[in-house]
Amino acid sequence: MKTDRFRGRDFLTIADYGREEIETILEVALDFKRKFAVRESHRLLDDMTLFMIFYGMSLRTRNSFEAGMTQLGGHAHYLSPGEIYTPALDEEVREYRTESVSDVARVLSRMGHGIAIRCFGKAVHWVYGAGQEVLDGFAEWADIPVINMESDIYHPCQGMADILTMREKLGHLEGKKFVMSWAFSPRSQKPLSVAHSALQVTSLMGMNITVAHPERFDLDPRIMDLVRANSEKYGGSVEVVDDMAEACRGADVIYAKNWTSRHYLPPEVDKPMFEEVKKLFEQNRHWICDEEKMKLAHRNAIFMHCLPADRNFEVTSAVMDGPQSAVFDQAENRLHAQKAIMALIMG
Ligand code: CP
């Protein structure tokens, strides 16, 4: 494949990339991982700048992009809305406090080589899809690649690190059982993005997918349609169940992760109803990945979580710190996967 087909493109969702392109990103990521390990120079983005706009907190995403740009010879610039004029969609523009996304995107395009954005939740009043709209606005107006560092719908960089980790741990993924399970958290305000992107990329790889969740925590039907279409094309399968233990039986991967209910978020309701969501959460405290659930899985199964995890709520510490846990490999692979993405689209 001609790798210059990546140059100048945005990285907003896995759905914008085909199976062959995802394979290329993984190959470049593994090459960078080897180079990083032996300290071989790979300064493919010398003197380039990535602007990172974080509307919310981050540990892994911020540090992996910053370290990644340094290792590629460039610089990642951290921008915090509130300290800069907050980039806002036209209907949210307030004089001298915000600046329109279209203007910010065009200004930054004159100064650097990529714009990466994290936007969901409080910054967009928990309107489901509004975070992605901000990213799409940047992509429309910027002349340089725009990278999604997590919206309310997608977390594609996490998805790439996840699939890289599965490849390393399990080898060929076709026909392997991937379980994405909802898990309990004391905090009811978490996006659906990690689950969506993981399902998009595992379905591209022909994995047999089981999604498990209690009632009212179903994922976005538009994403599920895409996942089913991928499965048909690449030879996997998709089932949805309402029992975590049943889902874990025979699994090769258990990914246990909390997400909120989009049925209690605008635009489906007038304003976010997190108290209602909390009540639903409380009814499902038993949705935790523990050693009993891991015993139901394949004996070489791995446990995955994007982190930060709610220890002893989503997953027990015994599982997270146990021999089957791949969570720190996933975090490490954020660096290598994102460097591959940046080198291919910004290089
Ligand atoms: N997994 C992930 O995106 O982590 P951060 O929120 O720390 O960036």
Side-chain angles (χ1 to χ4, degrees):
M1 187 202 307
K2 283 180 73 176
T3 48
D4 65 359
R5 68 194 281 172
F6 288 92
R7 205 160 296 148
R9 282 167 69 181
D10 301 317
F11 196 76
L12 297 174
T13 164
I14 302 274
D16 292 340
Y17 287 78
R19 162 87 179 249
E20 207 184 334
E21 292 172 329
I22 296 293
E23 294 286 2
T24 300
I25 297 171
L26 294 179
E27 278 170 34
V28 175
L30 284 170
D31 183 45
F32 284 166
K33 190 168 184 175
R34 184 192 62 77
K35 287 185 162 86
F36 177 74
V38 299
R39 296 190 59 79
E40 185 181 322
S41 176
H42 47 295
R43 297 170 64 93
L44 299 177
L45 299 182
D46 251 337
D47 300 329
M48 290 191 169
T49 302
L50 175 75
F51 297 108
M52 303 186 301
I53 306 176
F54 279 97
Y55 288 82
M57 288 191 295
S58 166
L59 175 75
R60 281 139 290 267
T61 307
R62 176 175 174 179
N63 288 292
S64 52
F65 270 105
E66 277 194 24
M69 275 303 285
T70 304
Q71 290 159 26
L72 290 169
H75 171 69
H77 199 83
Y78 177 75
L79 300 169
S80 176
E83 289 170 23
I84 56 166
Y85 305 111
T86 302
L89 295 172
D90 288 347
E91 59 275 17
E92 294 277 334
V93 170
R94 307 275 178 276
E95 293 71 20
Y96 229 59
R97 277 175 45 208
T98 66
E99 190 164 355
S100 73
V101 162
S102 56
D103 290 352
V104 178
R106 283 177 288 181
V107 168
L108 296 181
S109 294
R110 303 281 180 107
M111 298 176 180
H113 307 88
I115 305 173
I117 304 149
R118 164 169 287 193
C119 188
F120 61 84
K122 205 170 160 194
V124 285
H125 317 294
W126 282 100
V127 177
Y128 179 69
Q132 185 62 37
E133 256 183 67
V134 169
L135 273 120
D136 291 341
F138 268 98
E140 185 185 340
W141 288 98
D143 300 324
I144 54 179
V146 173
I147 300 174
N148 184 349
M149 296 197 296
E150 191 172 10
S151 71
D152 32 20
I153 307 183
Y154 306 113
H155 197 350
C157 295
Q158 181 69 53
M160 290 306 302
D162 292 345
I163 206 70
L164 179 59
T165 307
M166 284 183 247
R167 263 285 165 76
E168 289 181 321
K169 299 280 179 198
L170 304 173
H172 285 293
L173 298 176
E174 286 85 353
K176 298 256 165 72
K177 181 172 177 180
F178 175 78
V179 175
M180 173 54 74
S181 177
W182 185 90
F184 172 77
S185 164
R187 186 172 163 77
S188 55
Q189 303 179 15
K190 293 191 183 172
L192 292 75
S193 52
V194 168
H196 287 160
S197 290
L199 294 177
Q200 285 181 302
V201 75
T202 50
S203 59
L204 266 188
M205 295 296 164
M207 296 184 81
N208 293 333
I209 292 169
T210 299
V211 181
H213 60 77
E215 212 179 328
R216 306 293 283 166
F217 292 101
D218 47 312
L219 295 168
D220 189 325
R222 294 168 301 176
I223 308 294
M224 291 307 291
D225 285 349
L226 271 174
V227 168
R228 288 196 180 90
N230 279 344
S231 281
E232 261 180 39
K233 187 168 174 188
Y234 295 106
S237 60
V238 183
E239 63 167 352
V240 181
V241 300
D242 60 4
D243 183 322
M244 191 174 187
E246 182 195 332
C248 293
R249 210 172 289 282
D252 294 291
V253 181
I254 299 177
Y255 204 131
K257 163 88 185 79
N258 177 265
W259 60 82
T260 193
S261 170
R262 64 193 164 78
H263 300 297
Y264 294 88
L265 297 179
E268 218 164 297
V269 290
D270 288 340
K271 54 180 191 193
M273 298 171 68
F274 286 120
E275 283 311 308
E276 297 305 312
V277 178
K278 236 178 161 45
K279 282 181 209 156
L280 277 183
F281 271 34
E282 286 304 326
Q283 291 164 20
N284 294 291
R285 269 187 173 262
H286 56 291
W287 285 68
I288 179 170
C289 186
D290 54 15
E291 285 170 300
E292 292 309 306
K293 306 249 179 29
M294 289 306 293
K295 277 185 199 148
L296 296 170
H298 192 279
R299 68 188 165 82
N300 294 326
I302 57 171
F303 172 78
M304 297 186 77
H305 193 292
C306 57
L307 304 181
D310 295 318
R311 277 176 182 266
N312 300 314
F313 293 109
E314 292 176 292
V315 51
T316 60
S317 283
V319 170
M320 231 179 97
D321 299 328
Q324 289 167 286
S325 173
V327 300
F328 299 110
D329 302 285
Q330 285 173 264
E332 177 189 349
N333 280 336
R334 293 292 302 276
L335 174 70
H336 308 298
Q338 288 157 200
K339 278 166 68 181
I341 294 162
M342 290 190 288
L344 284 164
I345 68 175
M346 290 165 59

